PDB file of all heavy atoms in Angstrom:
ATOM      1  N   ASP A   1      18.833 -17.296   8.403  1.00 54.00           N
ATOM      2  CA  ASP A   1      18.123 -16.221   9.146  1.00 54.00           C
ATOM      3  C   ASP A   1      18.974 -15.128   9.620  1.00 54.00           C
ATOM      4  O   ASP A   1      18.550 -14.057   9.642  1.00 54.00           O
ATOM      5  CB  ASP A   1      17.291 -17.016  10.405  1.00 54.00           C
ATOM      6  CG  ASP A   1      16.167 -17.767   9.966  1.00 54.00           C
ATOM      7  OD1 ASP A   1      15.782 -17.694   8.807  1.00 54.00           O
ATOM      8  OD2 ASP A   1      15.765 -18.699  10.854  1.00 54.00           O
ATOM      9  N   ALA A   2      20.250 -15.622   9.964  1.00 48.00           N
ATOM     10  CA  ALA A   2      21.203 -14.595  10.415  1.00 48.00           C
ATOM     11  C   ALA A   2      21.572 -13.654   9.469  1.00 48.00           C
ATOM     12  O   ALA A   2      21.633 -12.475   9.531  1.00 48.00           O
ATOM     13  CB  ALA A   2      22.364 -15.172  11.048  1.00 48.00           C
ATOM     14  N   ARG A   3      21.689 -14.199   8.270  1.00 52.00           N
ATOM     15  CA  ARG A   3      22.014 -13.333   7.129  1.00 52.00           C
ATOM     16  C   ARG A   3      20.916 -12.365   6.754  1.00 52.00           C
ATOM     17  O   ARG A   3      21.083 -11.241   6.445  1.00 52.00           O
ATOM     18  CB  ARG A   3      22.378 -14.278   5.914  1.00 52.00           C
ATOM     19  CG  ARG A   3      23.758 -14.936   5.985  1.00 52.00           C
ATOM     20  CD  ARG A   3      24.002 -15.833   4.886  1.00 52.00           C
ATOM     21  NE  ARG A   3      25.278 -16.479   4.972  1.00 52.00           N
ATOM     22  CZ  ARG A   3      25.734 -17.541   4.034  1.00 52.00           C
ATOM     23  NH1 ARG A   3      24.962 -17.911   3.167  1.00 52.00           N
ATOM     24  NH2 ARG A   3      26.841 -18.027   4.288  1.00 52.00           N
ATOM     25  N   GLN A   4      19.788 -12.918   6.824  1.00 52.00           N
ATOM     26  CA  GLN A   4      18.512 -12.083   6.510  1.00 52.00           C
ATOM     27  C   GLN A   4      18.262 -11.101   7.509  1.00 52.00           C
ATOM     28  O   GLN A   4      18.029  -9.858   7.147  1.00 52.00           O
ATOM     29  CB  GLN A   4      17.178 -12.930   6.472  1.00 52.00           C
ATOM     30  CG  GLN A   4      15.916 -12.218   6.071  1.00 52.00           C
ATOM     31  CD  GLN A   4      14.799 -13.108   5.929  1.00 52.00           C
ATOM     32  OE1 GLN A   4      14.874 -14.381   6.110  1.00 52.00           O
ATOM     33  NE2 GLN A   4      13.696 -12.458   5.624  1.00 52.00           N
ATOM     34  N   SER A   5      18.565 -11.283   8.653  1.00 50.00           N
ATOM     35  CA  SER A   5      18.487 -10.291   9.807  1.00 50.00           C
ATOM     36  C   SER A   5      19.448  -9.163   9.585  1.00 50.00           C
ATOM     37  O   SER A   5      19.218  -8.061   9.698  1.00 50.00           O
ATOM     38  CB  SER A   5      18.633 -11.001  11.071  1.00 50.00           C
ATOM     39  OG  SER A   5      18.595 -10.161  12.121  1.00 50.00           O
ATOM     40  N   ALA A   6      20.791  -9.601   9.343  1.00 46.00           N
ATOM     41  CA  ALA A   6      21.836  -8.708   9.062  1.00 46.00           C
ATOM     42  C   ALA A   6      21.421  -7.839   7.798  1.00 46.00           C
ATOM     43  O   ALA A   6      21.663  -6.631   7.896  1.00 46.00           O
ATOM     44  CB  ALA A   6      23.091  -9.475   8.779  1.00 46.00           C
ATOM     45  N   ALA A   7      20.906  -8.336   6.745  1.00 46.00           N
ATOM     46  CA  ALA A   7      20.540  -7.545   5.685  1.00 46.00           C
ATOM     47  C   ALA A   7      19.264  -6.458   6.040  1.00 46.00           C
ATOM     48  O   ALA A   7      19.357  -5.390   5.575  1.00 46.00           O
ATOM     49  CB  ALA A   7      19.998  -8.422   4.508  1.00 46.00           C
ATOM     50  N   GLU A   8      18.494  -7.056   6.842  1.00 46.00           N
ATOM     51  CA  GLU A   8      17.362  -6.075   7.170  1.00 46.00           C
ATOM     52  C   GLU A   8      17.868  -5.057   8.043  1.00 46.00           C
ATOM     53  O   GLU A   8      17.479  -3.775   8.002  1.00 46.00           O
ATOM     54  CB  GLU A   8      16.253  -6.858   8.010  1.00 46.00           C
ATOM     55  CG  GLU A   8      15.509  -7.801   7.074  1.00 46.00           C
ATOM     56  CD  GLU A   8      14.413  -8.635   7.906  1.00 46.00           C
ATOM     57  OE1 GLU A   8      14.510  -8.657   9.160  1.00 46.00           O
ATOM     58  OE2 GLU A   8      13.657  -9.376   7.235  1.00 46.00           O
ATOM     59  N   GLU A   9      18.835  -5.343   8.928  1.00 47.00           N
ATOM     60  CA  GLU A   9      19.432  -4.278   9.891  1.00 47.00           C
ATOM     61  C   GLU A   9      20.139  -3.222   8.991  1.00 47.00           C
ATOM     62  O   GLU A   9      20.060  -1.996   9.246  1.00 47.00           O
ATOM     63  CB  GLU A   9      20.386  -4.886  10.827  1.00 47.00           C
ATOM     64  CG  GLU A   9      20.938  -3.870  11.786  1.00 47.00           C
ATOM     65  CD  GLU A   9      21.940  -4.645  12.833  1.00 47.00           C
ATOM     66  OE1 GLU A   9      21.961  -5.874  12.856  1.00 47.00           O
ATOM     67  OE2 GLU A   9      22.587  -3.812  13.657  1.00 47.00           O
ATOM     68  N   VAL A  10      20.810  -3.735   7.914  1.00 46.00           N
ATOM     69  CA  VAL A  10      21.531  -2.776   6.998  1.00 46.00           C
ATOM     70  C   VAL A  10      20.488  -1.988   6.363  1.00 46.00           C
ATOM     71  O   VAL A  10      20.704  -0.767   6.266  1.00 46.00           O
ATOM     72  CB  VAL A  10      22.359  -3.590   5.962  1.00 46.00           C
ATOM     73  CG1 VAL A  10      22.896  -2.668   4.868  1.00 46.00           C
ATOM     74  CG2 VAL A  10      23.464  -4.303   6.649  1.00 46.00           C
ATOM     75  N   ASP A  11      19.282  -2.423   5.854  1.00 50.00           N
ATOM     76  CA  ASP A  11      18.358  -1.680   5.162  1.00 50.00           C
ATOM     77  C   ASP A  11      17.664  -0.714   6.136  1.00 50.00           C
ATOM     78  O   ASP A  11      17.491   0.460   5.735  1.00 50.00           O
ATOM     79  CB  ASP A  11      17.179  -2.635   4.674  1.00 50.00           C
ATOM     80  CG  ASP A  11      17.811  -3.426   3.433  1.00 50.00           C
ATOM     81  OD1 ASP A  11      18.770  -2.993   2.843  1.00 50.00           O
ATOM     82  OD2 ASP A  11      16.965  -4.483   3.100  1.00 50.00           O
ATOM     83  N   TYR A  12      17.566  -1.176   7.411  1.00 49.00           N
ATOM     84  CA  TYR A  12      16.895  -0.174   8.326  1.00 49.00           C
ATOM     85  C   TYR A  12      17.850   0.957   8.688  1.00 49.00           C
ATOM     86  O   TYR A  12      17.461   2.140   8.644  1.00 49.00           O
ATOM     87  CB  TYR A  12      16.686  -0.865   9.724  1.00 49.00           C
ATOM     88  CG  TYR A  12      16.209   0.010  10.816  1.00 49.00           C
ATOM     89  CD1 TYR A  12      14.964   0.523  10.872  1.00 49.00           C
ATOM     90  CD2 TYR A  12      17.223   0.264  11.831  1.00 49.00           C
ATOM     91  CE1 TYR A  12      14.610   1.276  11.942  1.00 49.00           C
ATOM     92  CE2 TYR A  12      16.690   1.067  12.937  1.00 49.00           C
ATOM     93  CZ  TYR A  12      15.591   1.726  12.806  1.00 49.00           C
ATOM     94  OH  TYR A  12      15.230   2.463  13.814  1.00 49.00           O
ATOM     95  N   LYS A  13      19.092   0.636   8.844  1.00 60.00           N
ATOM     96  CA  LYS A  13      20.233   1.741   9.123  1.00 60.00           C
ATOM     97  C   LYS A  13      20.179   2.712   8.000  1.00 60.00           C
ATOM     98  O   LYS A  13      20.282   4.017   8.021  1.00 60.00           O
ATOM     99  CB  LYS A  13      21.482   1.163   9.381  1.00 60.00           C
ATOM    100  CG  LYS A  13      21.677   0.480  10.777  1.00 60.00           C
ATOM    101  CD  LYS A  13      23.061  -0.061  11.002  1.00 60.00           C
ATOM    102  CE  LYS A  13      23.060  -0.672  12.329  1.00 60.00           C
ATOM    103  NZ  LYS A  13      24.626  -1.023  12.690  1.00 60.00           N
ATOM    104  N   ASP A  14      20.179   2.101   6.656  1.00 62.00           N
ATOM    105  CA  ASP A  14      20.249   2.940   5.529  1.00 62.00           C
ATOM    106  C   ASP A  14      18.930   3.912   5.421  1.00 62.00           C
ATOM    107  O   ASP A  14      19.063   5.168   5.134  1.00 62.00           O
ATOM    108  CB  ASP A  14      20.299   2.195   4.216  1.00 62.00           C
ATOM    109  CG  ASP A  14      20.367   2.900   3.009  1.00 62.00           C
ATOM    110  OD1 ASP A  14      21.318   3.599   2.736  1.00 62.00           O
ATOM    111  OD2 ASP A  14      19.285   2.905   2.212  1.00 62.00           O
ATOM    112  N   PHE A  15      17.795   3.287   5.704  1.00 56.00           N
ATOM    113  CA  PHE A  15      16.659   4.051   5.820  1.00 56.00           C
ATOM    114  C   PHE A  15      16.693   5.137   6.730  1.00 56.00           C
ATOM    115  O   PHE A  15      16.241   6.305   6.560  1.00 56.00           O
ATOM    116  CB  PHE A  15      15.383   3.154   6.019  1.00 56.00           C
ATOM    117  CG  PHE A  15      14.109   3.986   6.244  1.00 56.00           C
ATOM    118  CD1 PHE A  15      13.342   4.576   5.282  1.00 56.00           C
ATOM    119  CD2 PHE A  15      13.679   3.969   7.664  1.00 56.00           C
ATOM    120  CE1 PHE A  15      12.146   5.238   5.606  1.00 56.00           C
ATOM    121  CE2 PHE A  15      12.427   4.753   7.881  1.00 56.00           C
ATOM    122  CZ  PHE A  15      11.765   5.229   6.864  1.00 56.00           C
ATOM    123  N   PHE A  16      17.185   4.834   7.943  1.00 63.00           N
ATOM    124  CA  PHE A  16      17.207   5.805   9.156  1.00 63.00           C
ATOM    125  C   PHE A  16      18.133   6.847   8.857  1.00 63.00           C
ATOM    126  O   PHE A  16      17.832   7.971   9.153  1.00 63.00           O
ATOM    127  CB  PHE A  16      17.668   4.984  10.366  1.00 63.00           C
ATOM    128  CG  PHE A  16      17.762   5.833  11.625  1.00 63.00           C
ATOM    129  CD1 PHE A  16      16.677   6.032  12.460  1.00 63.00           C
ATOM    130  CD2 PHE A  16      18.850   6.385  11.997  1.00 63.00           C
ATOM    131  CE1 PHE A  16      16.703   6.748  13.529  1.00 63.00           C
ATOM    132  CE2 PHE A  16      18.961   7.283  13.165  1.00 63.00           C
ATOM    133  CZ  PHE A  16      17.819   7.409  13.812  1.00 63.00           C
ATOM    134  N   GLU A  17      19.225   6.458   8.208  1.00 72.00           N
ATOM    135  CA  GLU A  17      20.433   7.520   7.991  1.00 72.00           C
ATOM    136  C   GLU A  17      20.092   8.493   6.749  1.00 72.00           C
ATOM    137  O   GLU A  17      20.321   9.610   6.762  1.00 72.00           O
ATOM    138  CB  GLU A  17      21.668   6.896   7.914  1.00 72.00           C
ATOM    139  CG  GLU A  17      22.198   6.255   9.117  1.00 72.00           C
ATOM    140  CD  GLU A  17      22.542   7.301  10.298  1.00 72.00           C
ATOM    141  OE1 GLU A  17      22.816   8.386   9.954  1.00 72.00           O
ATOM    142  OE2 GLU A  17      22.364   6.843  11.455  1.00 72.00           O
ATOM    143  N   ASN A  18      19.579   7.873   5.739  1.00 68.00           N
ATOM    144  CA  ASN A  18      19.544   8.552   4.625  1.00 68.00           C
ATOM    145  C   ASN A  18      18.080   8.864   4.063  1.00 68.00           C
ATOM    146  O   ASN A  18      17.772   9.397   2.957  1.00 68.00           O
ATOM    147  CB  ASN A  18      20.099   7.804   3.312  1.00 68.00           C
ATOM    148  CG  ASN A  18      21.615   7.402   3.645  1.00 68.00           C
ATOM    149  OD1 ASN A  18      22.304   8.361   4.088  1.00 68.00           O
ATOM    150  ND2 ASN A  18      22.040   6.275   3.619  1.00 68.00           N
ATOM    151  N   GLY A  19      17.070   8.625   4.825  1.00 65.00           N
ATOM    152  CA  GLY A  19      15.641   8.968   4.477  1.00 65.00           C
ATOM    153  C   GLY A  19      15.543  10.494   4.482  1.00 65.00           C
ATOM    154  O   GLY A  19      16.145  11.237   5.208  1.00 65.00           O
ATOM    155  N   GLY A  20      14.655  10.811   3.701  1.00 78.00           N
ATOM    156  CA  GLY A  20      14.265  12.269   3.492  1.00 78.00           C
ATOM    157  C   GLY A  20      13.487  12.904   4.579  1.00 78.00           C
ATOM    158  O   GLY A  20      13.336  14.086   4.663  1.00 78.00           O
ATOM    159  N   ILE A  21      12.936  12.134   5.494  1.00 87.00           N
ATOM    160  CA  ILE A  21      12.144  12.649   6.638  1.00 87.00           C
ATOM    161  C   ILE A  21      12.889  12.625   7.945  1.00 87.00           C
ATOM    162  O   ILE A  21      13.786  11.636   8.161  1.00 87.00           O
ATOM    163  CB  ILE A  21      10.833  11.713   6.776  1.00 87.00           C
ATOM    164  CG1 ILE A  21      10.022  11.850   5.583  1.00 87.00           C
ATOM    165  CG2 ILE A  21      10.107  12.244   7.984  1.00 87.00           C
ATOM    166  CD1 ILE A  21       8.797  10.961   5.625  1.00 87.00           C
ATOM    167  N   ALA A  22      12.902  13.719   8.589  1.00 91.00           N
ATOM    168  CA  ALA A  22      13.740  13.797   9.824  1.00 91.00           C
ATOM    169  C   ALA A  22      13.170  12.930  10.811  1.00 91.00           C
ATOM    170  O   ALA A  22      11.945  12.697  11.089  1.00 91.00           O
ATOM    171  CB  ALA A  22      13.554  15.229  10.421  1.00 91.00           C
ATOM    172  N   LEU A  23      14.164  12.130  11.473  1.00 92.00           N
ATOM    173  CA  LEU A  23      13.802  11.064  12.321  1.00 92.00           C
ATOM    174  C   LEU A  23      14.808  10.997  13.562  1.00 92.00           C
ATOM    175  O   LEU A  23      15.929  11.142  13.378  1.00 92.00           O
ATOM    176  CB  LEU A  23      13.913   9.761  11.708  1.00 92.00           C
ATOM    177  CG  LEU A  23      13.531   8.502  12.487  1.00 92.00           C
ATOM    178  CD1 LEU A  23      12.169   8.502  13.028  1.00 92.00           C
ATOM    179  CD2 LEU A  23      13.740   7.182  11.639  1.00 92.00           C
ATOM    180  N   HIS A  24      14.249  10.776  14.750  1.00 91.00           N
ATOM    181  CA  HIS A  24      15.180  10.681  15.920  1.00 91.00           C
ATOM    182  C   HIS A  24      14.492   9.672  16.789  1.00 91.00           C
ATOM    183  O   HIS A  24      13.131   9.471  16.781  1.00 91.00           O
ATOM    184  CB  HIS A  24      15.359  11.999  16.632  1.00 91.00           C
ATOM    185  CG  HIS A  24      14.095  12.688  17.283  1.00 91.00           C
ATOM    186  ND1 HIS A  24      13.437  13.608  16.569  1.00 91.00           N
ATOM    187  CD2 HIS A  24      13.512  12.427  18.485  1.00 91.00           C
ATOM    188  CE1 HIS A  24      12.435  13.961  17.401  1.00 91.00           C
ATOM    189  NE2 HIS A  24      12.441  13.302  18.587  1.00 91.00           N
ATOM    190  N   VAL A  25      15.333   9.067  17.700  1.00 93.00           N
ATOM    191  CA  VAL A  25      14.926   8.071  18.771  1.00 93.00           C
ATOM    192  C   VAL A  25      15.186   8.637  20.088  1.00 93.00           C
ATOM    193  O   VAL A  25      16.266   9.076  20.322  1.00 93.00           O
ATOM    194  CB  VAL A  25      15.503   6.666  18.472  1.00 93.00           C
ATOM    195  CG1 VAL A  25      15.106   5.642  19.576  1.00 93.00           C
ATOM    196  CG2 VAL A  25      15.189   6.057  17.107  1.00 93.00           C
ATOM    197  N   VAL A  26      14.258   8.573  21.000  1.00 93.00           N
ATOM    198  CA  VAL A  26      14.457   9.152  22.360  1.00 93.00           C
ATOM    199  C   VAL A  26      14.231   7.930  23.329  1.00 93.00           C
ATOM    200  O   VAL A  26      13.316   7.115  23.119  1.00 93.00           O
ATOM    201  CB  VAL A  26      13.574  10.280  22.654  1.00 93.00           C
ATOM    202  CG1 VAL A  26      13.699  10.707  24.131  1.00 93.00           C
ATOM    203  CG2 VAL A  26      13.648  11.473  21.614  1.00 93.00           C
ATOM    204  N   ASP A  27      15.056   7.827  24.429  1.00 91.00           N
ATOM    205  CA  ASP A  27      14.758   6.846  25.507  1.00 91.00           C
ATOM    206  C   ASP A  27      13.689   7.155  26.413  1.00 91.00           C
ATOM    207  O   ASP A  27      13.044   8.292  26.277  1.00 91.00           O
ATOM    208  CB  ASP A  27      16.188   6.512  26.137  1.00 91.00           C
ATOM    209  CG  ASP A  27      16.572   7.581  27.105  1.00 91.00           C
ATOM    210  OD1 ASP A  27      15.736   8.600  27.284  1.00 91.00           O
ATOM    211  OD2 ASP A  27      17.774   7.502  27.571  1.00 91.00           O
ATOM    212  N   GLY A  28      13.395   6.316  27.286  1.00 86.00           N
ATOM    213  CA  GLY A  28      12.252   6.628  28.199  1.00 86.00           C
ATOM    214  C   GLY A  28      12.426   7.766  29.031  1.00 86.00           C
ATOM    215  O   GLY A  28      11.507   8.313  29.654  1.00 86.00           O
TER     216      GLY A  28
END
């Protein structure tokens, strides 16, 4: 599970950083 979670995190970061659509995260 830890390895799967790490892989998913890597995929998410790759999507976040290299996606073609502009994306940002704002706090409350």
